[in-house]
Amino acid sequence: MSKEFEKTIVYSALEVANICGVANQTAINWIRNGYLKAYSTPGGQYRVYADDLVGFMTERNMRVPENLASLCNHNSNTSILVVEDEMGLNTVLHQYLSKEFAGTQVYQAFDGFEAGALMSSKKPTVVVLDLNLPGVDGFELCKKINSSDDFGNPAIIVITALQDSGIEDKIQEMNAVAFFRKPVVLDELSQAIKSAFAKASK
């Protein structure tokens, strides 16, 4: 689905309210206060584009309905790379994300060398990255991503079982947009990816 087509899909303030589970006046207030981007019809009614609504909801950690998310996820310009050496977890993440982001390509890498090759050839929008990898580890991969444009500047989402002191400070230095300890809560990971996609589309 092209970006141009996505932008033709619009919602009224009442429809926005129903999607978000709030009163109609609340949705109107969001628009009037500039929190939610909208335009006015000749009759003075508010209309909100689908991609603007998804961006608004993901930035506020609101659950985006699957049918709404799918409108903005069928975009050939977005992709996810899962980098995880544990085959079972990698497979679970691949299956979950392929279903959650139907129409978005989800790639798999099981070590740092494979991840580097895929990042160079596919230039994924988001990299879900385990830090403790054989060969080139996650820290080294992040250095490569941050020091070169060859990988397309993907958003980095870190998942790790490491409990080292200062690990969160190290991850912040890596410019990761999100950080999750294992076991990963899949819904929280999905929301972080949606937020990254929304930012990438701006």
Side-chain angles (χ1 to χ4, degrees):
M1 182 179 292
S2 70
K3 191 69 174 177
E4 290 74 16
F5 183 73
E6 287 172 21
K7 282 188 170 293
T8 66
I9 302 172
V10 296
Y11 297 95
S12 68
L14 179 59
E15 289 171 326
V16 168
N18 289 336
I19 290 169
C20 296
V22 299
N24 186 37
Q25 188 59 48
T26 299
I28 292 173
N29 289 341
W30 287 339
I31 294 168
R32 288 178 176 171
N33 291 326
Y35 302 131
L36 175 58
K37 186 177 178 181
Y39 70 92
S40 295
T41 67
Q45 301 296 311
Y46 291 120
R47 295 292 183 269
V48 178
Y49 288 125
D51 56 348
D52 289 328
L53 178 56
V54 170
F56 170 84
M57 294 179 73
T58 54
E59 287 173 3
R60 287 158 180 78
N61 294 318
M62 300 169 70
R63 186 174 184 84
V64 180
E66 185 175 344
N67 61 337
L68 173 59
S70 67
L71 295 177
C72 299
N73 286 335
H74 286 278
N75 188 336
S76 60
N77 294 323
T78 59
S79 59
I80 303 167
L81 171 61
V82 177
V83 187
E84 166 61 57
D85 64 312
E86 203 283 298
M87 185 171 292
L89 177 56
N90 195 317
T91 300
V92 168
L93 291 173
H94 179 267
Q95 291 176 343
Y96 173 79
L97 295 175
S98 295
K99 181 178 179 181
E100 183 76 0
F101 296 91
T104 296
Q105 184 66 55
V106 182
Y107 302 104
Q108 292 175 277
F110 295 90
D111 59 49
F113 293 111
E114 187 178 14
L118 281 170
M119 286 192 299
S120 180
S121 63
K122 304 300 183 182
K123 294 180 172 54
T125 312
V126 174
V127 176
V128 179
L129 178 64
D130 181 23
L131 294 179
N132 191 17
L133 297 168
V136 179
D137 67 18
F139 294 101
E140 188 63 29
L141 280 175
C142 282
K143 288 180 182 178
K144 291 185 176 183
I145 292 171
N146 291 327
S147 63
S148 174
D149 293 331
D150 293 344
F151 307 114
N153 300 310
I156 303 168
I157 297 176
V158 169
I159 58 174
T160 185
L162 295 176
Q163 299 291 332
D164 304 13
S165 61
I167 187 69
E168 293 188 34
D169 291 335
K170 292 179 182 178
I171 290 170
Q172 286 183 350
E173 292 173 2
M174 291 158 45
N175 295 323
V177 300
F179 161 52
F180 299 99
R181 291 193 185 276
K182 296 179 181 179
V184 180
V185 179
L186 295 178
D187 184 60
E188 293 178 1
L189 176 62
S190 172
Q191 291 299 326
I193 293 173
K194 289 173 184 175
S195 180
F197 276 166
K199 291 177 181 178
S201 68
K202 292 181 179 178

